[in-house]
Amino acid sequence: MRNLVLALALVPLPAMAEFFTLKGHGGPIMGIAAAPDGRIATASFDNSVGIWTDQSPEWLEGHEAAVNSVVFNGTAIYSAGDDFTLRQWPGGQIVGRHKGKIVGVAASKTHVATASWDGTIGIWPVDGSSPSMLGPTGSGVNAVAFTPDGSQLYSAGVDGTLRLWDVASRQEIDRLVEHGFGINELVLNAQDNWIAYGAVDGVTRILDLSSGEERDFTLDRRPILALALSPDRRLLAVGDGEGYIMVIDTGDWRIAQDFRATLRGPVWALSFSADGQNIHAGGIDEAMYSWPVAALSEHEQMAASEPSFLKNPDQMDNGERQFTRKCSICHSLSPDSQRRAGPTLHKIFGRKAGSLPDYLYSDTLQDSDIIWNEETINALFDEGPDHYIPGSKMPMQRITGAQDRIDLIAFMRRATAPED
């Protein structure tokens, strides 16, 4: 396991209603949760969760792939991600496992629910007793939300269906929406008896659970990737794939603010602060941004500096272009791993696979006899990691052009060589 220490002073988080950023992750921010006591949890593509009580976080490490969702539940924290696992912290023990990536988590007083692309919903008792599964639904599940007493659960799926389940009987008891496109996100407001959902085609609607009436706040932006409800239930924040945060006033049913949060990339994660004064957001940048709700547009946008993987391809030779597209989001070229999803590639040539002491490798890679050189790197991208090293954490991708692989290897040879 990586044992990286940030050389930062213990600086308290700024007071809410001030703009601030939380920096330290080595990849995009995929999920955010705010605890009643003011702590903030960030789930990242770099395989870790950050717990922030000040600006020097506690790192929760153990996931073997990107972490997509995190939730506070009493004294425990639960996180889930692309390694198919649900983990409980402190400790990081695996309390649940799916057959596909987990993209959503919800918690009640007695259970944690997981939404998985394997088409099922996991119901995991917090007391450690036997879990159960809802479904299969026939398609991936993107989001889940418990009713306040935990007896029922709403789910949103890739098939565009918004379902209601009875947790005890494990039976589907209603289909509230059958949308023509996948529903990515949902938020339940049980006190006011409505549920909001956001879809791949940009649809943003609020369904009255008593009358069945829908209020439509769809704008010409897609997909919807994040929803968050303020603690007083008066504001609903909506994040989309084009970098905007729309804020809906649920008292007057109007769009109160529409803020271009980032010029580069989507808004993947949203959460209100515990006191409701700030909106926390994450996206393609390696930091979480927090804006005062009352003054969103008066402060810095996300991704003010361009990530390397968004660099203009015309400014690179072909080898660097291949590296930027295929490798740079997970790997650094510097001597340390910089909290990336993958280990540093510094001095990669001649190195045994799975041998760096500060990175948590899959057993498959750690136990292999591969030595990284021109031939093995060429084979990795020619066959694809899923075929060349079955069972490794590396994403499924190939570089099919022989000259593209030659150019990539030449760039890596130059860029990863030890300094004289």
Side-chain angles (χ1 to χ4, degrees):
M1 183 178 294
R2 288 174 289 178
N3 184 24
L4 302 180
V5 178
L6 290 180
L8 295 174
L10 294 179
V11 179
L13 292 175
M16 297 306 164
E18 295 180 10
F19 172 79
F20 64 93
T21 61
L22 299 179
K23 298 181 178 181
H25 277 293
I29 308 299
M30 310 300 294
I32 304 170
D37 62 7
R39 288 177 298 159
I40 299 170
T42 50
S44 174
F45 189 85
D46 70 4
N47 304 357
S48 72
V49 175
I51 304 298
W52 309 77
T53 53
D54 49 51
Q55 293 194 326
S56 180
E58 174 189 1
W59 297 112
L60 308 182
E61 298 188 333
H63 281 283
E64 297 181 359
V67 188
N68 297 317
S69 190
V70 61
V71 65
F72 289 98
N73 193 26
T75 60
I77 300 166
Y78 292 87
S79 61
D82 284 3
D83 60 357
F84 306 176
T85 69
L86 171 70
R87 295 173 186 261
Q88 180 184 346
W89 309 90
Q93 61 269 28
I94 296 174
V95 296
R97 188 184 294 274
H98 279 270
K99 295 181 180 179
K101 65 172 64 178
I102 303 171
V103 294
V105 176
S108 71
K109 292 181 180 179
T110 57
H111 293 84
V112 176
T114 47
S116 174
W117 280 9
D118 68 6
T120 67
I121 300 159
I123 303 293
W124 315 94
V126 298
D127 65 4
S129 56
S130 297
S132 58
M133 289 286 175
L134 309 182
T137 64
S139 68
V141 184
N142 287 325
V144 285
F146 280 106
T147 56
D149 65 1
S151 66
Q152 295 180 332
L153 183 85
Y154 292 90
S155 70
V158 174
D159 63 357
T161 302
L162 179 58
R163 293 175 165 88
L164 178 62
W165 303 83
D166 180 78
V167 173
S169 68
R170 295 178 290 177
Q171 298 299 308
E172 179 185 329
I173 57 178
D174 198 3
R175 295 192 182 189
L176 291 83
V177 173
E178 294 194 62
H179 188 59
F181 293 85
I183 299 176
N184 289 333
E185 296 289 333
L186 60 83
V187 164
L188 174 64
N189 180 353
Q191 293 93 323
D192 299 321
N193 210 32
W194 56 255
I195 192 166
Y197 64 94
V200 170
D201 61 346
V203 159
T204 305
R205 291 178 181 151
I206 299 174
L207 172 67
D208 187 300
L209 295 172
S210 298
S211 67
E213 176 189 357
E214 285 193 322
R215 299 180 185 272
D216 196 323
F217 290 91
T218 302
L219 299 177
D220 189 23
R221 298 195 292 264
R222 62 193 67 184
I224 303 304
L225 298 172
L227 293 176
L229 184 65
S230 64
D232 64 5
R233 313 189 310 280
R234 288 297 304 266
L235 299 175
L236 177 70
V238 183
D240 63 48
E242 297 182 31
Y244 284 82
I245 298 174
M246 173 176 62
V247 181
I248 300 169
D249 185 319
T250 64
D252 298 334
W253 296 117
R254 63 183 178 86
I255 297 175
Q257 298 192 64
D258 194 28
F259 170 51
R260 185 78 185 256
T262 174
L263 295 175
R264 303 177 181 89
V267 176
W268 269 315
L270 287 172
S271 177
F272 281 87
S273 61
D275 63 9
Q277 294 189 58
N278 278 49
I279 292 178
H280 309 320
I284 206 163
D285 203 359
E286 297 174 354
M288 191 209 82
Y289 288 69
S290 183
W291 296 274
V293 173
L296 286 179
S297 61
E298 296 177 11
H299 300 278
E300 180 182 342
Q301 293 174 307
M302 290 193 289
S305 60
E306 188 169 62
S308 62
F309 49 86
L310 293 181
K311 184 178 176 181
N312 186 342
D314 294 337
Q315 299 175 0
M316 299 177 277
D317 63 32
N318 186 45
E320 183 180 2
R321 187 159 52 244
Q322 296 300 324
F323 176 84
T324 299
R325 289 173 173 173
K326 298 292 185 178
C327 310
S328 66
I329 195 169
C330 292
H331 299 280
S332 71
L333 298 171
S334 59
D336 64 76
S337 295
Q338 296 184 339
R339 300 203 59 79
R340 297 292 178 88
T344 177
L345 301 183
H346 186 66
K347 299 183 179 180
I348 184 70
F349 287 88
R351 188 168 81 203
K352 182 182 182 299
S355 62
L356 286 182
D358 67 342
Y359 184 77
L360 181 64
Y361 292 93
S362 63
D363 292 341
T364 298
L365 198 62
Q366 195 163 357
D367 296 341
S368 75
D369 58 1
I370 296 171
I371 303 296
W372 294 121
N373 54 37
E374 285 86 349
E375 291 74 22
T376 54
I377 293 173
N378 180 75
L380 175 72
F381 287 105
D382 184 18
E383 300 178 27
D386 49 321
H387 291 288
Y388 188 64
I389 319 171
S392 78
K393 297 188 294 183
M394 299 180 69
M396 295 180 290
Q397 58 181 342
R398 294 180 62 207
I399 297 177
T400 56
Q403 188 60 51
D404 290 337
R405 296 194 301 274
I406 291 170
D407 292 344
L408 169 66
I409 292 167
F411 169 77
M412 290 179 62
R413 173 66 82 177
R414 297 192 306 272
T416 67
E419 297 179 359
D420 295 331

